[in-house]
Amino acid sequence: MTSTVKVWDRPVRLFHWSLAGSVALCWLTADELHSLHEVAGYAAAGLIGLRLVLGLAGTRYARFSQFIRSPKRTLRYASDTLHHKEPRYLGHNPLGAAMVVALLMMVGGIALTGWMQTTDTYWGIEWVAQMHETLAKLLLVAIALHVAGVIHASFRHHENLVLAMITGRKRAPASGDVS
């Protein structure tokens, strides 16, 4: 049996799947069921706040300082990936880290512009509504890229990353892996 190590703690896993569910619910209720759409949006906003706390004060692999890399290092990792020479990361790889940041910013922006539309100041303001919709559409593209990246990394490194985000466990690091 392959040795495994704990990488994703329960709060990170609950955040991940709860945010996925909140975003899906927001998408499904965007044109109807406005009260449910708002509740799901506020839940997503609260989850973003939780993830920011975990990113600053969470466990090792939850912390932003552990996985956010410089643009240069991220581009080098992207090049290595294109040439099938990328190392396996125990936590987020540099492209995964960039996606985490992008997704957090997009969902945060969607939540902010959604909330703005409920205020007297911004209710009915076209640019706010347009920004909300544009970010939501861009989020779908980012989610598709995220899923594609997970599938790619799962095949390249012979591990089920979806299962790892459910159980919190990944294969123990081997020589050449980045932990």
Side-chain angles (χ1 to χ4, degrees):
M1 184 170 179
T2 305
S3 175
T4 64
V5 293
K6 190 74 158 180
V7 177
W8 310 121
D9 63 10
R10 183 171 282 125
V12 166
R13 296 187 332 261
L14 286 172
F15 158 78
H16 179 272
W17 296 113
S18 297
L19 186 63
S22 293
V23 167
L25 189 57
C26 282
W27 186 258
L28 292 171
T29 60
D31 295 325
E32 298 178 21
L33 303 170
H34 293 284
S35 60
L36 184 55
H37 180 81
E38 284 186 27
V39 168
Y42 286 127
L47 288 164
I48 295 298
L50 170 66
R51 186 62 182 96
L52 293 176
V53 170
L54 294 173
L56 297 173
T59 57
R60 178 180 180 193
Y61 292 105
R63 289 180 186 243
F64 298 134
S65 61
Q66 192 280 330
F67 65 85
I68 294 179
R69 310 286 193 243
S70 70
K72 183 177 179 180
R73 189 164 175 190
T74 302
L75 289 172
R76 187 170 0 133
Y77 181 83
S79 176
D80 290 346
T81 300
L82 288 173
H83 295 97
H84 304 291
K85 296 178 182 179
E86 78 279 11
R88 174 182 174 257
Y89 278 72
L90 199 56
H92 289 96
N93 66 50
L95 287 175
M99 183 56 74
V100 167
V101 171
L103 291 169
L104 291 174
M105 290 175 57
M106 278 190 257
V107 173
I110 293 165
L112 176 62
T113 55
W115 169 78
M116 288 169 68
Q117 292 178 79
T118 69
T119 67
D120 290 339
T121 303
Y122 293 101
W123 187 85
I125 303 297
E126 184 61 29
W127 74 264
V128 177
Q130 192 60 46
M131 179 65 71
H132 188 74
E133 286 187 34
T134 300
L135 285 172
K137 289 174 184 174
L138 288 173
L139 181 63
L140 289 181
V141 173
I143 290 168
L145 290 171
H146 171 62
V147 170
V150 167
I151 291 168
H152 178 267
S154 291
F155 279 108
R156 284 284 300 139
H157 301 294
H158 308 289
E159 74 185 331
N160 186 336
L161 293 179
V162 174
L163 182 62
M165 190 50 75
I166 293 169
T167 66
R169 304 192 73 79
K170 290 179 79 175
R171 188 177 71 246
S175 176
D177 289 350
V178 179
S179 61

